[in-house]
Amino acid sequence: MTGLLRNKTHGEELPVSWLYPKKWNGRAVVWLDDSGKAALFNADGSVKPEVKQLVDAGATVLGADLLFQGEFLKDGQPVKQTWLVANPREFAGYTFGYNHTLFAQRAHDVLTLVKYLRSYETSAQHPKPSSVDVAGFGGMGPIVAAARAVAREGIDRAAVETGGFSFGKLLDYRDPSFLPGGAKYGDVPGLLALNAPAKLWIGGETAPALATKLYQSANAAGALTSAAKADRTAAAKWLLAQ
């Protein structure tokens, strides 16, 4: 099923695609990557194996075009630089001192999806999900980690592909992944650490020391899993095993 998910509070719409199992087990999984809702499908329109694995196991899977993905793009090309306010001086504060970055707005979009899943209920035959999981790959990994740090128990399980990304490595404040203070306040390891003590899978790097330390301090070391190789099939298996 496809459609638009409306956030009436903020006057926003997100194009979404749903995959429903024949027999639902009550679990909902938000599956995201840089291609938007196309992350669910192969080029020929068939469902990707790792996503099909979730649906076959009884989970509902939701894909979405976050801001400037998929249907938001006129030419289909991903955003390489974000917008600026009309000021000739090259200073990030003129734009991002007053406006959210694209990274933050996409994290907000993830929270919109989670809020909808947590509140959706049409009847006794169509109840709210018993659990809500979110998986983010490519540039969406750190965004999902940030959204999970805000949503807390609103997200039961999170699988994030970081690939060793660091805010401190960005050389352009117009980079789509730029976040003011991102490098200063713990960088991506800080976002991952804020997920403690909830269940978290990290792909593309071993768990950073900061995240490991906080999970251990929360007596939740077993809730943190990492894999040096980013593997979406492994992420799906981890979600199903939890």
Side-chain angles (χ1 to χ4, degrees), residues 88-124:
R89 296 179 62 186
E90 290 289 328
F91 174 53
Y94 286 137
T95 296
F96 302 122
Y98 303 91
N99 302 281
H100 295 298
T101 63
L102 180 56
F103 183 99
Q105 289 182 316
R106 285 175 170 174
H108 162 83
D109 289 342
V110 175
L111 294 175
T112 293
L113 299 171
V114 172
K115 177 64 175 178
Y116 173 76
L117 290 171
R118 284 297 184 190
S119 58
Y120 172 80
E121 183 173 15
T122 59
S123 65

Side-chain angles (χ1 to χ4, degrees), residues 219-231:
N219 295 318
L224 179 63
T225 303
S226 64
K229 181 181 179 181
D231 186 333

